[in-house]
């Protein structure tokens, strides 16, 4: 009965078929061009937090390896370590020195530890790459720059995103 | 005469499988190493002639340019040349810094004082970081390709043209409480 059905339906058991990959190749070519254009030539990896929007600038200078401080709307991080809290776009009062309102105590302590670390390269020692959220007031940044300079990091490089 | 029975076929197939194999290897590598957000830094590394000119200004210390931004985004520029002060203001535009007007004013100041390279920058505490960066952008380089400023190269004695206006920006109110 099965043989009869096969004969009736005239089913062909052909195992070879041709797959048209031209459109897929087109898509890959476009992707390849785009990715080559965005290929990161710089060796410095900049990690930004989700709640941190960098300001745009027309600077074309590539970042160089140095200590990274990121200032988001919620806190200050040195590298990956959270050192101080930000409330309402200002440093939390518990982190501020009562004698000096510009001085962020936990940030200073962390930077001092890094400054005294013999494993850190000499050219990385006195400069900082500051990533800060674009909506933070200058008052907050001033405190960070002030504390950093007191801890022995007087050169601050501002990280921005290329654009106008 | 008998016609030759030549068959002309325009259809042909290119084997794209090997090309596709190369792309399949390249694309993951590039996807992992691509920078979808191009981060840059603002610093003061400058051409030699400009650096020398800045040093000369620091050494002579006769001219001073102070740029202040108040809480209402009004910009005040004060030029102090040997004690003689002149002040210019840029009013805000829709509660924002009027960037084109500020840039035009800075270009005019630079044209009249090509030997000034340093700005003392004093933004108000309320001014946002974004606005600080924008003011620095307006001051550092000339946006117009036809507006260039002369700088004398101390080594060769030749005059070169540069688009740098005020590349050295110092936050003068950093120590204020």
């Amino acid at each position: 009965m099965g043989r009869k059905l096969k004969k009736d339906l005239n089913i062909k058991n052909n195992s070879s078929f041709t797959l048209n990959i031209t459109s897929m190749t087109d898509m890959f070519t476009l992707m390849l061009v785009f990715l080559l254009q965005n290929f990161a030539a710089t060796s410095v990896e900049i990690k930004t937090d989700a709640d941190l929007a960098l300001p745009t600038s027309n600077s074309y200078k590539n970042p160089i390896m140095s200590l990274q401080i990121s200032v988001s709307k919620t806190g200050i991080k040195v590298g990956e370590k959270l050192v101080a809290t930000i409330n309402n776009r200002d440093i939390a009062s518990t982190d501020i020195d009562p004698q000096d309102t510009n001085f962020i105590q936990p940030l200073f302590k962390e930077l001092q530890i890094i400054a005294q670390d013999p494993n850190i390269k000499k050219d990385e020692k006195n400069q900082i790459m500051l990533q800060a959220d674009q909506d933070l007031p200058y008052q907050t940044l001033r405190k960070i720059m002030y504390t950093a300079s007191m801890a022995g990091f007087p050169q601050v490089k501002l990280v921005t995103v290329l654009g106008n | 005469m008998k016609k030759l029975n030549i068959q002309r076929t325009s259809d042909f197939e290119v084997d794209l499988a090997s090309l596709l194999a190369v792309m399949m290897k390249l694309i993951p590598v590039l996807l992992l190493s691509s920078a979808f957000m191009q981060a840059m830094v603002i610093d003061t590394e400058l051409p030699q002639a400009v650096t020398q000119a800045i040093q000369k200004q620091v050494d002579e210390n006769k001219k001073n340019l102070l740029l202040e931004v108040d809480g209402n985004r009004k910009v005040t520029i004060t030029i102090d040349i040997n004690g003689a002060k002149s002040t210019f203001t840029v009013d805000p535009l829709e509660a924002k810094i009027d960037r084109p007007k500020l840039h035009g004013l800075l270009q005019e100041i630079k044209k009249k004082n090509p030997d000034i390279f340093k700005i003392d920058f004093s933004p108000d505490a309320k001014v946002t970081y974004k606005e600080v960066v924008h003011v620095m952008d307006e001051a550092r380089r000339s946006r117009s390709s036809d507006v260039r400023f002369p700088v004398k190269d101390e080594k060769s004695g030749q005059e070169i043209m540069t688009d740098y206006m005020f590349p050295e920006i110092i936050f003068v109110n950093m120590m204020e409480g």
Side-chain angles (χ1 to χ4, degrees):
Chain A
M1 194 186 166
R3 193 179 289 174
K4 192 174 181 287
L5 183 71
K6 204 173 180 181
K7 196 181 174 185
D8 289 348
L9 290 172
N10 193 21
I11 296 168
K12 285 179 185 174
N13 281 335
N14 195 354
S15 63
S16 71
F17 63 95
T18 315
L19 182 70
N20 191 359
I21 53 169
T22 317
S23 52
M24 195 177 173
T25 314
D26 279 355
M27 187 189 75
F28 276 138
T29 311
L30 290 172
M31 271 182 83
L32 194 70
V33 172
F34 172 76
L35 290 170
L36 278 171
Q37 216 174 9
N38 290 289
F39 183 71
T42 174
S43 59
V44 182
E45 191 186 356
I46 294 176
K47 288 177 184 170
T48 49
D49 291 342
D51 60 340
L52 195 157
L54 293 170
T56 54
S57 163
N58 58 15
S59 174
Y60 285 94
K61 178 81 185 161
N62 278 318
I64 54 161
M65 190 63 81
S66 46
L67 182 66
Q68 290 186 34
I69 295 184
S70 59
V71 191
S72 67
K73 283 169 186 158
T74 52
I76 303 171
K77 279 183 182 174
V78 177
E80 294 287 309
K81 190 180 175 185
L82 183 73
V83 292
T85 317
I86 291 181
N87 295 327
N88 298 323
R89 297 180 183 181
D90 202 2
I91 317 286
S93 54
T94 48
D95 295 327
I96 296 285
D97 185 354
Q99 306 297 320
D100 185 351
T101 52
N102 279 334
F103 194 75
I104 310 162
Q105 282 176 322
L107 177 65
F108 181 77
K109 281 177 190 168
E110 186 63 30
L111 290 176
Q112 264 207 326
I113 293 165
I114 294 165
Q116 286 161 5
D117 189 347
N119 297 324
I120 290 179
K121 289 176 191 170
K122 199 183 174 184
D123 45 323
E124 287 177 33
K125 267 197 168 175
N126 53 5
Q127 57 188 9
I128 277 174
M129 267 206 299
L130 181 68
Q131 298 175 50
D133 187 86
Q134 59 177 2
D135 294 324
L136 286 172
Y138 174 67
Q139 182 185 14
T140 308
L141 299 172
R142 191 173 65 187
K143 289 172 185 172
I144 295 159
M145 291 195 280
Y146 173 80
T147 309
S149 65
M150 298 291 262
F153 294 87
Q155 290 177 35
V156 179
K157 292 179 189 296
L158 308 174
V159 181
T160 59
V161 180
L162 190 62
N164 283 310
Chain B
M1 195 176 165
K2 198 180 176 184
K3 223 175 181 180
L4 285 171
N5 189 20
I6 299 169
Q7 282 186 333
R8 286 198 175 133
T9 316
S10 60
D11 284 351
F12 65 94
E13 271 188 29
V14 181
D15 186 12
L16 295 169
S18 52
L19 180 69
L20 205 64
V22 172
M23 282 183 176
M24 287 295 277
K25 285 178 182 73
L26 267 173
I27 283 170
V29 173
L30 292 171
L31 267 173
L32 289 174
S33 56
S34 280
F36 294 102
M37 190 186 74
Q38 261 185 300
M40 299 290 160
V41 291
I42 301 177
D43 72 355
T44 53
E45 202 167 307
L46 305 164
Q48 195 65 28
V50 181
T51 315
Q52 285 167 356
I54 292 169
Q55 191 55 46
K56 198 179 171 189
Q57 193 204 335
V58 172
D59 295 343
E60 288 173 356
N61 199 24
K62 286 173 185 171
K63 293 180 178 180
N64 193 36
L65 191 65
L66 174 67
L67 195 152
E68 293 166 293
V69 184
D70 70 12
N72 299 317
R73 309 316 190 244
K74 183 184 172 185
V75 183
T76 309
I77 301 170
T78 311
I79 311 168
D80 183 349
I81 302 170
N82 298 322
K85 287 184 181 178
S86 44
T87 305
F88 305 91
T89 55
V90 178
D91 291 322
L93 185 72
E94 294 168 356
K96 288 178 184 172
I97 297 167
D98 190 346
R99 290 175 65 185
K101 202 174 171 188
L102 172 65
H103 190 73
L105 179 61
L106 288 167
Q107 279 184 333
E108 289 305 313
I109 292 169
K110 182 69 186 177
K111 277 178 194 169
K112 287 175 189 164
N113 305 279
D115 53 337
I116 300 181
F117 290 89
K118 184 172 72 75
I119 276 186
D120 291 341
F121 187 27
S122 175
D124 185 83
K126 291 175 195 164
V127 176
T128 63
Y129 176 46
K130 178 171 66 180
E131 290 166 320
V132 168
V133 169
H134 287 168
V135 171
M136 289 170 83
D137 271 354
E138 300 305 338
R140 280 168 52 247
R141 295 176 96 143
S142 167
R143 280 188 197 274
S144 332
S145 55
D146 56 331
V147 180
R148 293 285 184 270
F149 310 98
V151 182
K152 197 176 180 185
D153 190 347
E154 293 295 320
K155 281 184 183 171
S156 63
Q158 287 181 329
E159 204 167 71
I160 59 160
M161 300 304 278
T162 177
D163 60 346
Y164 281 106
M165 296 202 299
F166 307 103
E168 192 168 289
I169 297 166
I170 298 165
F171 291 95
V172 285
N173 59 349
M174 206 176 78
M175 299 293 179
E176 287 173 16

